[in-house]
Each structure stands twice: as C-alpha cells, then as structure tokens.
Amino acid sequence: MTNQLSQSPAISPVAIRERTGSVSTAEIISVLKGEITALHVSQAFSTEVAEEITAKFIGSPGLKERKDGVPGQYVGASHYRKDAATYFAEAETARPYVDALFGNLVDPVRGLFDALKRELHKQGIELRLARSEHGQANVCRALSWSGSGTFSLDPHDDVAQVLCAGNDYELSAVAHNTVAALNFYPSMAEEGGNLRLWSHKPTVTDRKSQGVETTGYPYSAPYLEAVPSREFQLKAGDIALIDGGFIHGVTGQLGNGKRRLVLNSFFGFARPDLVLWWT
Ligand SMILES: O=C(O)CCC(=O)C(=O)O
Ligand SMILES: [Fe+2]
C-alpha cells in the first residue's frame, strides 16, 4: 500500500527569463531543450495587431463555447480529449476562422513558426504542423477563459493530454520530451488573468494520485499548497513560452471591460530530427 496523502509533490527547479523586446529562436530552442522553464517577453508584438485580433475574435462567426469541461470560448481546434480523426477534421473546418483573426495584417504566430522553422532547418531538424490522413493542425487557436473564482483557467499540465492522446496521433511521442506551450496575449483584463507557474512537474504517478491521469486538469488547491509558485504579470502584446509539463493556471480576472484573449500553440521534439506543432 502506498500512502498518497503523506506524499507531498516534488519541487522541480525553474529557470525563468523575463524581458522586453523580440523573441529569439535561440531562446525558443532553449525552452524546447528544457534549459529555460519559462520565458516572458513584454511588448513582443504590436498594439495594432493585438487590437485587430481581439476585434476579429469578438466578431468571429467561428466563435464557440467549450463543452469539454474547461470553461471558455474559442476559435480554432483543441486536441484535448479528442481522437485524431475528430481533432484534425475540426482543425480543417476551423482554419478559415483562425486565418481571419489576423485580417490583412501579418500573423505574428506564423512569423515565429517560420523563423523557428528556418533556424531548426539549419541544424538538420524539420519543424512542421502535426497531421494525419484527416488533415493538419492550425498554427494557433484563440481562447478566452471564463472560469470564475481563484482561477479563470484551473491549474493543469499540458503533457497528460499529449501522453494520452492515443496511438493514432503522431504527436504522442512529444510527451516524452518538453511540450512547449506558446502564448500570445492580444488582450488582457483590467486586473488579474496572470499566468501562475508552480515549481512542480508531475509524473504519471502524481497524476494518478490526483485523478487527472489522462487530462492533467485540474489540480486541487490542497495538492499545490506547499509548492512554490510565481506569477507572470501579463499585458496585451506580451508573449509567454513555458515548459507545459510544469503545472500552470490563469488567475481570476476583474473588470467588465476588456476580456483576456490568448493565442495558444504547442510544440516539441517527436524525434531528434523532427519538431511537431499543434493546438
Ligand atoms: O491562457 C494562458 O495564459 C495559458 C493557456 C494554457 O495554459 C493552455 O491553453 O493550456
Ligand atoms: Fe496549459
């Protein structure tokens, strides 16, 4: 018999980098390799682009309410709790709506994707969108979390959903390496909506003990109580890139005016010579 209650979560050290300016491909690769846990770059893309994306999201004919137990609205597709056939079919259907979020402006997420692709190519590594016979992933998805209380998005990890994605997904292999989670913030609430990161990278055993083996969501407050954490104070135009294996969540939001909006994508090594990208 194991005594799970007496087992407090292991503390994993975090390496954090915060600054203003442009993202470099070297830093992105450092996150991929597990050398940096979290990178927060302020003012990383323009206010004009941020405002265009926000306006297009609000008026999008492809805007939907999530019905998978995670409160929020979205444009795009999420692989979370879906088999490959369903996810890739949804990604194909949603593509015109995702593309339309940028109007006629240059998509900064695709810009980052293309720059990383060029740099990895020089190193003999291919970067491409995850795909199957049913279609191909999009470069990002747009999300507005609507959970109420302490968190607008509860504490979770992004690896369980990849590990348990199923054999019909080529991206399952990435779960054994760093799952990098890339977030562009076009709009932020007046107060709150910060990204909180805990110094804990759960194992399969940890997830089983918390009843979140296949989802990685949500971890309870008592489980995280003794774990140190830190918050990233985000503003519109910021980018945050994290090792999605560490538990993270979004704090509650205040103010009725602006809504918080994130453009999110995941990527990681499936093989030493292949990096996959999906949402
Ligand atoms: O909205 C955020 O800042 C984080 C999003 C996130 O963790 C996720 O989509 O898995
Ligand atoms: Fe996440």
mmCIF file of all heavy atoms in Angstrom, residues 141 143 145 153 156 158 183 185 195 234 248 250 260 262 264 266, ligand 1:
data_model
loop_
_atom_site.group_PDB
_atom_site.id
_atom_site.type_symbol
_atom_site.label_atom_id
_atom_site.label_comp_id
_atom_site.label_asym_id
_atom_site.label_seq_id
_atom_site.Cartn_x
_atom_site.Cartn_y
_atom_site.Cartn_z
ATOM 1 N N ARG A 141 -4.700 28.546 -31.883
ATOM 2 C CA ARG A 141 -6.129 28.632 -31.575
ATOM 3 C C ARG A 141 -6.266 29.827 -30.643
ATOM 4 O O ARG A 141 -5.310 30.179 -29.926
ATOM 5 C CB ARG A 141 -6.632 27.349 -30.905
ATOM 6 C CG ARG A 141 -5.879 27.028 -29.639
ATOM 7 C CD ARG A 141 -6.237 25.693 -29.005
ATOM 8 N NE ARG A 141 -5.373 25.535 -27.823
ATOM 9 C CZ ARG A 141 -5.762 25.070 -26.649
ATOM 10 N NH1 ARG A 141 -6.998 24.675 -26.472
ATOM 11 N NH2 ARG A 141 -4.920 25.006 -25.636
ATOM 12 N N LEU A 143 -8.284 31.641 -27.435
ATOM 13 C CA LEU A 143 -9.078 31.236 -26.279
ATOM 14 C C LEU A 143 -9.326 32.399 -25.330
ATOM 15 O O LEU A 143 -8.427 33.206 -25.088
ATOM 16 C CB LEU A 143 -8.326 30.155 -25.499
ATOM 17 C CG LEU A 143 -8.032 28.854 -26.238
ATOM 18 C CD1 LEU A 143 -6.734 28.265 -25.775
ATOM 19 C CD2 LEU A 143 -9.182 27.891 -26.054
ATOM 20 N N TRP A 145 -10.678 32.483 -21.492
ATOM 21 C CA TRP A 145 -11.098 31.646 -20.356
ATOM 22 C C TRP A 145 -12.215 32.329 -19.579
ATOM 23 O O TRP A 145 -12.160 33.539 -19.355
ATOM 24 C CB TRP A 145 -9.919 31.377 -19.429
ATOM 25 C CG TRP A 145 -8.736 30.815 -20.140
ATOM 26 C CD1 TRP A 145 -7.510 31.391 -20.272
ATOM 27 C CD2 TRP A 145 -8.660 29.563 -20.839
ATOM 28 N NE1 TRP A 145 -6.678 30.578 -21.009
ATOM 29 C CE2 TRP A 145 -7.369 29.452 -21.372
ATOM 30 C CE3 TRP A 145 -9.580 28.521 -21.080
ATOM 31 C CZ2 TRP A 145 -6.964 28.349 -22.128
ATOM 32 C CZ3 TRP A 145 -9.173 27.431 -21.827
ATOM 33 C CH2 TRP A 145 -7.881 27.347 -22.330
ATOM 34 N N LEU A 153 -8.590 29.839 -15.483
ATOM 35 C CA LEU A 153 -8.237 28.523 -16.031
ATOM 36 C C LEU A 153 -7.515 27.787 -14.905
ATOM 37 O O LEU A 153 -6.461 28.221 -14.436
ATOM 38 C CB LEU A 153 -7.322 28.653 -17.259
ATOM 39 C CG LEU A 153 -6.770 27.328 -17.804
ATOM 40 C CD1 LEU A 153 -7.883 26.425 -18.330
ATOM 41 C CD2 LEU A 153 -5.735 27.568 -18.909
ATOM 42 N N HIS A 156 -3.128 23.142 -14.224
ATOM 43 C CA HIS A 156 -3.073 21.929 -15.057
ATOM 44 C C HIS A 156 -1.672 21.776 -15.632
ATOM 45 O O HIS A 156 -0.861 22.700 -15.558
ATOM 46 C CB HIS A 156 -4.095 22.038 -16.200
ATOM 47 C CG HIS A 156 -3.762 23.119 -17.187
ATOM 48 N ND1 HIS A 156 -4.038 24.446 -16.948
ATOM 49 C CD2 HIS A 156 -3.132 23.079 -18.384
ATOM 50 C CE1 HIS A 156 -3.610 25.175 -17.966
ATOM 51 N NE2 HIS A 156 -3.033 24.367 -18.854
ATOM 52 N N ASP A 158 0.210 20.432 -19.461
ATOM 53 C CA ASP A 158 -0.161 20.224 -20.866
ATOM 54 C C ASP A 158 0.351 18.889 -21.412
ATOM 55 O O ASP A 158 0.173 18.600 -22.596
ATOM 56 C CB ASP A 158 0.414 21.356 -21.738
ATOM 57 C CG ASP A 158 -0.099 22.726 -21.335
ATOM 58 O OD1 ASP A 158 -1.249 22.840 -20.894
ATOM 59 O OD2 ASP A 158 0.673 23.701 -21.465
ATOM 60 N N ASN A 183 2.216 31.195 -25.882
ATOM 61 C CA ASN A 183 1.038 32.040 -25.686
ATOM 62 C C ASN A 183 1.314 33.471 -26.129
ATOM 63 O O ASN A 183 2.249 34.104 -25.632
ATOM 64 C CB ASN A 183 0.642 32.060 -24.209
ATOM 65 C CG ASN A 183 0.280 30.685 -23.683
ATOM 66 O OD1 ASN A 183 -0.594 30.018 -24.217
ATOM 67 N ND2 ASN A 183 0.970 30.248 -22.652
ATOM 68 N N TYR A 185 -0.582 37.173 -26.167
ATOM 69 C CA TYR A 185 -1.721 37.809 -25.488
ATOM 70 C C TYR A 185 -2.179 39.082 -26.216
ATOM 71 O O TYR A 185 -1.617 40.150 -25.996
ATOM 72 C CB TYR A 185 -1.355 38.121 -24.031
ATOM 73 C CG TYR A 185 -1.028 36.863 -23.262
ATOM 74 C CD1 TYR A 185 0.291 36.439 -23.109
ATOM 75 C CD2 TYR A 185 -2.047 36.065 -22.742
ATOM 76 C CE1 TYR A 185 0.596 35.254 -22.439
ATOM 77 C CE2 TYR A 185 -1.752 34.881 -22.073
ATOM 78 C CZ TYR A 185 -0.437 34.489 -21.930
ATOM 79 O OH TYR A 185 -0.136 33.307 -21.281
ATOM 80 N N LEU A 195 -0.526 34.586 -15.488
ATOM 81 C CA LEU A 195 -0.131 33.190 -15.661
ATOM 82 C C LEU A 195 0.669 32.791 -14.434
ATOM 83 O O LEU A 195 1.681 33.408 -14.117
ATOM 84 C CB LEU A 195 0.715 33.050 -16.933
ATOM 85 C CG LEU A 195 1.192 31.645 -17.307
ATOM 86 C CD1 LEU A 195 0.021 30.713 -17.592
ATOM 87 C CD2 LEU A 195 2.102 31.724 -18.531
ATOM 88 N N LEU A 234 0.943 39.835 -17.020
ATOM 89 C CA LEU A 234 0.890 39.946 -18.475
ATOM 90 C C LEU A 234 0.172 41.206 -18.929
ATOM 91 O O LEU A 234 -0.749 41.679 -18.273
ATOM 92 C CB LEU A 234 0.158 38.731 -19.042
ATOM 93 C CG LEU A 234 0.741 37.371 -18.661
ATOM 94 C CD1 LEU A 234 -0.267 36.274 -18.954
ATOM 95 C CD2 LEU A 234 2.049 37.133 -19.403
ATOM 96 N N HIS A 248 0.545 24.922 -14.346
ATOM 97 C CA HIS A 248 0.282 26.345 -14.537
ATOM 98 C C HIS A 248 -1.223 26.582 -14.621
ATOM 99 O O HIS A 248 -1.985 25.649 -14.879
ATOM 100 C CB HIS A 248 0.990 26.869 -15.800
ATOM 101 C CG HIS A 248 0.630 26.110 -17.045
ATOM 102 N ND1 HIS A 248 1.190 24.881 -17.365
ATOM 103 C CD2 HIS A 248 -0.250 26.383 -18.039
ATOM 104 C CE1 HIS A 248 0.674 24.448 -18.496
ATOM 105 N NE2 HIS A 248 -0.217 25.337 -18.933
ATOM 106 N N VAL A 250 -4.357 30.165 -14.841
ATOM 107 C CA VAL A 250 -4.593 31.589 -15.080
ATOM 108 C C VAL A 250 -5.426 32.139 -13.928
ATOM 109 O O VAL A 250 -6.498 31.591 -13.622
ATOM 110 C CB VAL A 250 -5.292 31.819 -16.437
ATOM 111 C CG1 VAL A 250 -5.554 33.299 -16.672
ATOM 112 C CG2 VAL A 250 -4.479 31.224 -17.576
ATOM 113 N N ARG A 260 -9.822 38.896 -21.548
ATOM 114 C CA ARG A 260 -8.496 38.325 -21.767
ATOM 115 C C ARG A 260 -8.550 37.366 -22.952
ATOM 116 O O ARG A 260 -9.421 36.512 -23.042
ATOM 117 C CB ARG A 260 -8.080 37.564 -20.511
ATOM 118 C CG ARG A 260 -6.666 36.995 -20.548
ATOM 119 C CD ARG A 260 -6.494 36.092 -19.340
ATOM 120 N NE ARG A 260 -5.135 35.707 -19.060
ATOM 121 C CZ ARG A 260 -4.519 34.666 -19.616
ATOM 122 N NH1 ARG A 260 -5.140 33.944 -20.520
ATOM 123 N NH2 ARG A 260 -3.287 34.367 -19.264
ATOM 124 N N VAL A 262 -6.023 34.815 -25.470
ATOM 125 C CA VAL A 262 -4.708 34.205 -25.706
ATOM 126 C C VAL A 262 -4.726 33.429 -27.025
ATOM 127 O O VAL A 262 -5.729 32.801 -27.369
ATOM 128 C CB VAL A 262 -4.308 33.281 -24.519
ATOM 129 C CG1 VAL A 262 -5.277 32.128 -24.322
ATOM 130 C CG2 VAL A 262 -2.889 32.742 -24.678
ATOM 131 N N ASN A 264 -2.837 30.357 -28.481
ATOM 132 C CA ASN A 264 -2.025 29.296 -27.898
ATOM 133 C C ASN A 264 -1.643 28.230 -28.926
ATOM 134 O O ASN A 264 -2.432 27.920 -29.830
ATOM 135 C CB ASN A 264 -2.840 28.677 -26.734
ATOM 136 C CG ASN A 264 -2.281 27.373 -26.238
ATOM 137 O OD1 ASN A 264 -2.601 26.307 -26.770
ATOM 138 N ND2 ASN A 264 -1.446 27.437 -25.215
ATOM 139 N N PHE A 266 1.169 24.478 -29.168
ATOM 140 C CA PHE A 266 2.118 23.574 -28.514
ATOM 141 C C PHE A 266 3.108 23.055 -29.541
ATOM 142 O O PHE A 266 2.746 22.868 -30.713
ATOM 143 C CB PHE A 266 1.386 22.366 -27.916
ATOM 144 C CG PHE A 266 0.335 22.709 -26.897
ATOM 145 C CD1 PHE A 266 -1.016 22.506 -27.169
ATOM 146 C CD2 PHE A 266 0.686 23.232 -25.661
ATOM 147 C CE1 PHE A 266 -1.997 22.804 -26.230
ATOM 148 C CE2 PHE A 266 -0.290 23.541 -24.713
ATOM 149 C CZ PHE A 266 -1.624 23.328 -25.006
HETATM 150 O O1 LIG B 1 -4.063 31.445 -21.164
HETATM 151 C C1 LIG B 1 -2.954 31.194 -20.702
HETATM 152 O O2 LIG B 1 -2.204 32.082 -20.278
HETATM 153 C C2 LIG B 1 -2.464 29.767 -20.616
HETATM 154 C C3 LIG B 1 -3.201 28.813 -21.518
HETATM 155 C C4 LIG B 1 -2.916 27.386 -21.219
HETATM 156 O O3 LIG B 1 -2.265 27.042 -20.269
HETATM 157 C C5 LIG B 1 -3.426 26.329 -22.115
HETATM 158 O O4 LIG B 1 -4.154 26.637 -23.071
HETATM 159 O O5 LIG B 1 -3.106 25.137 -21.878
#
